[in-house]
Amino acid sequence: MPRHGILIIDMLNDFAHPDGVLYCPTNRTIIPTLQKLMNWVRERNAQGKDDIQLIHIQEAHRENDADFKVRPVHAVKGTWGSEFIDELKPEKGEYIVQKRRHSAFAHTDLDLYLREEKIDTVVVTGTWTNVCVRSSASDALYYAYKVITLSDACASKTEEMHQAGLKDLSIFSKVMTVDEYIDAWEKGLDPWEGGGDPENKVE
C-alpha cells in the first residue's frame, strides 16, 4: 500500500493573514479546503491509520537572508510573520520542516524524514502554486518520490500564476482536487495512478 506525506506549504501569517508582508487574498480561499483535508487525515490517524502524514512546511529565514535580495523581507524566523496562521496550526505529533528557500527539500531534513517514515508519495498543497509548491514538487520528483498536486488546496498571487503553476505541475505530478484525492483513498485506490504526462500531451 502507498504511504503519503501531505506538505502544507507556507500557510503563514506573512502569506495568508491580511497584515502579512506578502499577503495573497487567494490564500484565504483555500483555508476551508485545507481544514477539510487536515481533519480527514487526523481522523484517520486517530483510528490508527498512519499511511498518510501531515507535514507542515514553515518558511523561516535568517535576518539578511539572500532571498531578500530579490524579494521583500518576510517570514523571518521567530517573528509573527513566520508563524502558522491560527486556522491551520500543527497539532502534537505532526512534523514541522523549516526552510529558507523555495523548495521544502532545499537544505532541510525533509527527505530524511520521508525515508524514515517509508513514505513514497509527496502531496503538495499551500502557497504559492508557481513558486514554493512547484519547487517542492519538482524536488520531490528529483528524489524519486511520486508526486500529487491538490489543485484546490493551492493558491498564488493571481489566478493566472496559479493556473500556470498547475500546468507545469501536470507534466510530472497527478493534479487532482481534495475531494478526488479523499474519494480515491476511501475506495482503496492509489490516488497517484495516472499521474504525470507520459504521452507528452500537456500543451
Side-chain angles (χ1 to χ4, degrees):
M1 290 296 293
R3 290 180 61 80
H4 288 198
I6 298 178
L7 309 187
I8 313 295
I9 300 173
D10 292 342
M11 292 303 288
L12 313 174
N13 287 325
D14 263 351
F15 299 109
H17 188 284
D19 294 331
V21 173
L22 293 178
Y23 172 60
C24 297
T26 51
N27 284 332
R28 303 298 302 176
T29 67
I30 64 172
I31 291 174
T33 307
L34 282 167
Q35 288 174 322
K36 176 180 179 177
L37 176 66
M38 292 165 66
N39 289 337
W40 174 74
V41 174
R42 288 166 177 164
E43 288 172 5
R44 286 176 58 89
N45 293 165
Q47 296 167 9
K49 301 174 182 178
D50 68 348
D51 48 5
I52 308 175
Q53 299 294 326
L54 293 174
I55 305 167
H56 302 267
I57 309 301
Q58 179 184 27
E59 197 151 292
H61 291 288
R62 70 179 182 89
E63 293 183 6
N64 301 316
D65 200 299
D67 195 50
F68 303 152
K69 294 178 181 178
V70 295
R71 299 292 288 149
V73 175
H74 64 280
V76 173
K77 185 175 182 177
T79 66
W80 172 86
S82 182
E83 294 175 2
F84 298 100
I85 58 173
D86 289 338
E87 297 92 335
L88 299 173
K89 286 188 177 294
E91 291 189 353
K92 183 178 180 180
E94 296 172 355
Y95 202 60
I96 298 173
V97 175
Q98 292 190 337
K99 68 180 178 69
R100 289 174 47 209
R101 295 295 178 261
H102 293 157
S103 171
F105 287 89
H107 309 292
T108 73
D109 72 343
L110 177 57
D111 179 56
L112 175 62
Y113 173 79
L114 296 173
R115 296 190 188 284
E116 287 177 334
E117 294 296 314
K118 296 180 172 56
I119 288 170
D120 56 40
T121 304
V122 170
V123 182
V124 291
T125 73
T127 189
W128 293 7
T129 314
N130 58 313
V131 185
C132 293
V133 173
R134 187 192 182 284
S135 296
S136 299
S138 180
D139 276 357
L141 181 69
Y142 172 81
Y143 283 105
Y145 294 99
K146 294 181 285 186
V147 186
I148 293 173
T149 303
L150 299 183
S151 58
D152 56 344
C154 300
S156 283
K157 186 175 183 180
T158 67
E159 182 63 18
E160 182 181 18
M161 288 181 176
H162 174 63
Q163 292 300 329
L166 290 179
K167 179 172 284 190
D168 281 349
L169 284 157
S170 69
I171 295 171
F172 60 89
S173 77
K174 174 72 173 289
V175 179
M176 60 197 312
T177 66
V178 167
D179 283 344
E180 289 169 340
Y181 178 76
I182 292 174
D183 185 60
W185 271 103
E186 297 293 346
K187 290 178 178 176
L189 305 174
D190 182 352
W192 180 82
E193 288 299 324
D197 183 32
E199 296 180 5
N200 196 32
K201 292 183 177 179
V202 175
E203 297 180 356

